[in-house]
Amino acid sequence: MTTKQKWCAFVATGFGSGFWPWGPGTAGAFVATLMWLGLGYFVTEPVLITTTLIAIIVATIAGSWTTDQLEPVWGEDPSRVVIDEMIGVWIPLLVCPQGNYWYALAAFVLFRFFDILKPLGIRSLDRRHGGFWVMADDILAGVYSLVLIAIFRWVIA
């Protein structure tokens, strides 16, 4: 691998979490959840939400580009690429109360549920080709998870 491809691999594999042999997507989503929880200890809730939103946008752009760079080497939609799972779990975390482990766990579980089963149009996005489409199915899974958590918060509030 070239230096550029190594850098792309570092980013696309979620800082190496995609190399976890037993469920790399789960590992990537778990690392992203821990990152969100950790950041929540150091910043206010508005800053956490803003930072998470910026991370989603930047990671979507970076993930699309790095995946395009790695697909010729690793094949189409490689399982080691988990930046898409990181993006996907950050989306429902946008509506979770800061520092609440139960909501963070719910975001993680709901996202993985939608990501693995791929209902409601997620599978059709997963069939498309290219770096952005690798991100797109996880973005939709994250949006579905966000909606369920937001409804739950609205109902119990």
Side-chain angles (χ1 to χ4, degrees), residues 110-125:
L110 282 170
F111 166 71
R112 289 305 292 153
F113 170 80
F114 285 115
D115 186 34
I116 292 167
L117 294 182
K118 301 192 183 310
L120 306 170
I122 297 171
R123 186 166 313 282
S124 67
L125 293 178

Side-chain angles (χ1 to χ4, degrees), residues 49-71:
I49 292 167
T50 303
T51 304
T52 304
L53 188 57
I54 291 168
I56 291 166
I57 294 166
V58 169
T60 300
I61 294 165
S64 298
W65 185 78
T66 57
T67 301
D68 280 336
Q69 302 305 304
L70 292 170
E71 281 187 335

Side-chain angles (χ1 to χ4, degrees), residues 37 96-97 99-109 149:
L37 284 167
C96 292
N100 187 307
Y101 293 102
W102 293 110
Y103 274 97
L105 179 62
F108 175 81
V109 169
I149 291 172

Side-chain angles (χ1 to χ4, degrees), residues 77-157:
D77 197 359
S79 63
R80 288 177 268 192
V81 171
V82 297
I83 193 169
D84 52 332
E85 275 83 8
M86 297 176 87
I87 295 163
V89 79
W90 284 331
I91 292 171
L93 287 169
L94 285 169
V95 295
C96 292
Q98 181 178 8
N100 187 307
Y101 293 102
W102 293 110
Y103 274 97
L105 179 62
F108 175 81
V109 169
L110 282 170
F111 166 71
R112 289 305 292 153
F113 170 80
F114 285 115
D115 186 34
I116 292 167
L117 294 182
K118 301 192 183 310
L120 306 170
I122 297 171
R123 186 166 313 282
S124 67
L125 293 178
D126 191 47
R127 291 185 189 126
R128 297 192 178 206
H129 306 286
F132 173 75
W133 297 107
V134 171
M135 307 299 121
D137 67 307
D138 294 283
I139 290 170
L140 187 55
V143 169
Y144 289 154
S145 304
L146 176 143
V147 168
L148 288 179
I149 291 172
I151 290 170
F152 181 77
R153 286 194 72 188
W154 179 70
V155 168
I156 65 163

